[in-house]
Amino acid sequence: MEAKYVVVFSALIFSLFNLGETATTGSWKLLKKSIGISAMHTQLLPNDRVIMFDRTDFGQSKILLPEEKCSELATLGNTDCTAHSVELNLLDRKVRPLTVLTDTWCSSGSLAPDGMLLQSGGNWNGERAVRSVRPCANCDWMEDQKGLVVPRWYASNQILPNGKVIVVGGRGQFSYEFIPKSSLPSDSKVFALPFLLETSDVAENNLYPFTHLSPDGNLFIFANTKSILFDYVNDRVVRNDYPVMPGGVSRNYPSTGSSVLLPLKLGLSNSTIDTPDAEVFICGGAPLTSYLTAIRGTFLPAAKSCGRLMITAAQPQWQMEEMPMERAMGDMLLLPTGDVLLINGAKKGAAGWYLGREPVLNPVLYQPESGKFEVMQPSKTPRMYHSTAILIADGRVLVGGSNPNSNYNFTEMFPTELSVEVFSPPYLSSGSRPQINLAKLKTEISYKKPISIGFVSKNNEVIENVSVTMVAPSFNTHSFSMNQRMLVLNINQVRQVTSTYHVIDCFSPETPNIAPPGYYLLFVVQNGVPSRGRWVHIS
């Protein structure tokens, strides 16, 4: 069958799969038909530019490196003068090719406190590499091929209260280490983590473990169906009494569900130090044999189940809920309102080349307060294995990638996708948005300090219906948004200065355990409608 007919037939099948899903709200817009690569890994920088990359051994991409960079590669014996990483400027939609030398396939990342993207691991010559790129106009990748002590492939990163990054797991690595390296003895060590070995099964199903920094400073780690609370400072498990997640479903790669730490609500504690409750929300995944059966040509239905676990509770129990449709390889994003967006993925199969079927085109909005799921308008573009999604400053969601093929291939049933689009949640069509007054917003804030935020609003119901949220930009790949975090600040009062101008007096987070140092997007939310996010830096 000719390629053009394969594509048309596939599009028809995608539509038929989604006829039973009633769409309600939200809207889509194509941002860029092609960025030249497939966005397997995505990170928003604090200059509103987005770093995207796939892998260096996919073959030639659709965007060339500058001539001088190509000359440098030629001296190294490299014949591929195409880029495998780009910077997308959200302000003018221009794409700038970046030079990455070591293989970034299935790697991990974090935004360092100074706004630099710190990125680790991969395959082949990138398995021990640590790469970095700074948020500046002409910056490019810098690489240390021996930045990790051991190879890390399919590992997870988490920024810590001291500004370091912990790198957890990876294929065949039941351990963790810290980056960037320094002269400290602990930085040159690898620490065993038996929990990762205990949670591995015949199909692994515990790669890209879900890691979330608990407000007490310990690390919550979830792999496959089990979880622990881990004291990485003293190298010991402090809690292993969390129950197994019900349902008989594997949640991590290659079964590939997704996870978020629900918004941390500050100011609700009566203690001297405000340590809020913390709740993890995990959705989707697949039966533990899904990967193995997909290899043999049988594509099992993905999971519809979600679970909530209060990780700070004395006797935590899973609260199980059900999504409107099955979803594996989906992404979960915290929106400025505190709602969770579930997006991308497939209804059948598992993560891996050619192993997914029936793309899920409809995002779903989940409201943690009510436990309600709401189906959104569908995209026209399947986003399955190797797709990404991140929140951007204007409150929209940037969506890209999808390449379940072993190279760049545009004639498969699910072709390599080079486009990026944006999804607008329903709050962007819900009336006028509050506007933050930049003159009344300090971009540098300190812990446990009062801050004032001026904003303009045309709505008179301000005092009773306003909140301030801070969102940490995440590194997204393989259905897990590393370092994703939302804080709902403690408001002291809202002062009305004029009929349209108001000032919010609130308090910054108390400790780095609650808000690790670095950049956050700050939003004023009024009647469920967020302002445009403004960058603030806490240290």
Side-chain angles (χ1 to χ4, degrees):
M1 186 180 292
E2 291 184 9
K4 63 180 181 180
Y5 295 117
V6 170
V7 173
V8 171
F9 177 74
S10 299
L12 175 60
I13 294 297
F14 302 153
S15 299
L16 291 175
F17 283 149
N18 287 273
L19 283 177
E21 299 167 5
T22 304
T24 53
T25 49
S27 62
W28 289 87
K29 180 180 180 181
L30 180 67
L31 191 69
K32 198 84 176 176
K33 186 176 181 180
S34 173
I35 58 170
I37 65 163
S38 188
M40 183 191 299
H41 312 78
T42 304
Q43 172 76 61
L44 175 67
L45 299 184
N47 59 357
D48 286 322
R49 300 186 183 191
V50 181
I51 302 296
M52 297 173 170
F53 51 97
D54 47 30
R55 50 183 287 202
T56 60
D57 60 346
F58 257 175
Q60 292 193 341
S61 73
K62 298 297 183 180
I63 183 169
L64 292 172
L65 287 166
E67 185 176 344
E68 64 273 14
K69 292 291 184 180
C70 185
S71 299
E72 290 178 23
L73 290 177
T75 62
L76 298 174
N78 192 326
T79 58
D80 184 0
C81 280
T82 63
H84 292 277
S85 176
V86 300
E87 177 196 75
L88 171 64
N89 188 334
L90 293 175
L91 300 180
D92 58 16
R93 303 184 189 179
K94 290 183 179 179
V95 175
R96 181 168 68 94
L98 302 177
T99 309
V100 61
L101 301 177
T102 56
D103 190 12
T104 50
W105 183 23
C106 304
S107 51
S108 52
S110 292
L111 202 63
D114 64 356
M116 175 180 68
L117 173 55
L118 191 64
Q119 206 273 321
S120 57
N123 191 38
W124 188 49
N125 66 349
E127 61 185 8
R128 288 183 54 198
V130 172
R131 312 165 194 87
S132 60
V133 60
R134 294 189 177 276
C136 62
N138 298 305
C139 286
D140 208 338
W141 286 102
M142 300 178 63
E143 303 188 47
D144 177 1
Q145 293 196 32
K146 296 182 179 180
L148 294 169
V149 180
V150 298
R152 302 280 177 188
W153 195 23
Y154 301 94
S156 294
N157 289 14
Q158 173 64 53
I159 187 76
L160 299 174
N162 64 0
K164 301 285 283 188
V165 173
I166 187 171
V167 188
V168 180
R171 175 159 284 168
Q173 298 295 346
F174 311 111
S175 62
Y176 67 95
E177 60 182 288
F178 301 95
I179 57 172
K181 303 302 183 189
S182 69
S183 58
L184 293 174
S186 60
D187 275 2
S188 60
K189 292 182 179 179
V190 170
F191 301 85
L193 189 56
F195 169 75
L196 295 177
L197 180 59
E198 296 163 6
T199 53
S200 182
D201 59 28
V202 292
E204 296 177 296
N205 281 324
N206 70 342
L207 300 181
Y208 279 122
F210 302 146
T211 56
H212 300 289
L213 182 67
S214 173
D216 63 4
N218 293 309
L219 193 66
F220 176 83
I221 306 174
F222 180 99
N224 204 335
T225 62
K226 299 178 180 179
S227 47
I228 58 172
L229 192 65
F230 188 69
D231 177 359
Y232 54 86
V233 176
N234 297 297
D235 189 30
R236 63 189 183 97
V237 176
V238 293
R239 287 195 75 166
N240 60 3
D241 62 342
Y242 296 117
V244 172
M245 190 172 180
V249 173
S250 297
R251 307 288 176 172
N252 293 82
Y253 185 94
S255 291
T256 309
S258 192
S259 175
V260 295
L261 180 69
L262 290 177
L264 300 175
K265 298 178 180 179
L266 310 186
L268 300 182
S269 172
N270 294 320
S271 63
T272 303
I273 297 295
D274 179 15
T275 304
D277 289 330
E279 188 174 15
V280 166
F281 184 47
I282 297 173
C283 284
L288 66 89
T289 60
S290 187
Y291 176 78
L292 300 177
T293 56
I295 289 176
R296 296 192 291 266
T298 300
F299 304 96
L300 299 179
K304 293 180 72 174
S305 61
C306 295
R308 294 173 62 159
L309 183 70
M310 188 69 73
I311 66 174
T312 50
Q315 296 180 316
Q317 295 295 325
W318 285 102
Q319 174 188 329
M320 300 304 293
E321 300 177 347
E322 194 166 274
M323 297 181 287
M325 70 280 288
E326 300 87 352
R327 195 183 300 259
M329 294 176 281
D331 294 288
M332 294 172 67
L333 297 179
L334 294 169
L335 299 180
T337 55
D339 293 338
V340 181
L341 186 70
L342 293 81
I343 198 167
N344 299 334
K347 289 185 178 181
K348 290 184 177 180
W353 291 332
Y354 318 107
L355 300 183
R357 294 293 186 274
E358 298 190 24
V360 185
L361 301 181
N362 295 77
V364 168
L365 192 67
Y366 175 75
Q367 299 172 328
E369 295 298 325
S370 65
K372 178 183 176 182
F373 291 93
E374 188 176 8
V375 180
M376 302 281 105
Q377 291 282 354
S379 169
K380 296 179 181 179
T381 305
R383 305 281 184 180
M384 299 172 68
Y385 187 45
H386 289 152
S387 60
T388 53
I390 59 168
L391 176 71
I392 57 178
D394 62 12
R396 295 183 297 174
V397 173
L398 181 71
V399 183
S402 188
N403 189 12
N405 311 302
S406 59
N407 50 28
Y408 290 101
N409 193 320
F410 304 99
T411 59
E412 292 282 352
M413 179 186 296
F414 303 107
T416 303
E417 187 56 59
L418 306 183
S419 69
V420 290
E421 55 190 333
V422 285
F423 174 72
S424 296
Y427 53 59
L428 292 179
S429 57
S430 300
S432 62
R433 306 176 69 177
Q435 298 180 357
I436 295 176
N437 182 352
L438 296 183
K440 193 60 177 177
L441 175 66
K442 292 183 178 179
T443 55
E444 285 288 339
I445 59 178
S446 302
Y447 293 102
K448 203 176 180 179
K449 297 292 184 182
I451 55 177
S452 295
I453 305 162
F455 73 99
V456 176
S457 171
K458 297 179 181 179
N459 196 312
N460 293 325
E461 301 177 9
V462 172
I463 296 178
E464 297 83 5
N465 298 284
V466 68
S467 61
V468 178
T469 58
M470 286 172 54
V471 183
S474 55
F475 179 89
N476 179 265
T477 189
H478 290 77
S479 300
F480 183 44
S481 292
M482 304 174 196
N483 309 292
Q484 183 173 213
R485 197 174 193 82
M486 173 179 288
L487 313 168
V488 182
L489 300 190
N490 179 15
I491 293 179
N492 181 34
Q493 64 174 340
V494 180
R495 294 181 280 122
Q496 185 169 356
V497 180
T498 69
S499 59
T500 58
Y501 184 69
H502 303 76
V503 175
I504 304 171
D505 296 318
C506 55
F507 298 95
S508 65
E510 301 236 350
T511 70
N513 291 344
I514 297 170
Y519 284 89
Y520 292 76
L521 281 169
L522 184 144
F523 296 88
V524 171
V525 182
Q526 180 193 356
N527 291 332
V529 180
S531 66
R532 179 183 176 87
R534 299 299 181 181
W535 289 104
V536 296
H537 183 261
I538 188 166
S539 60

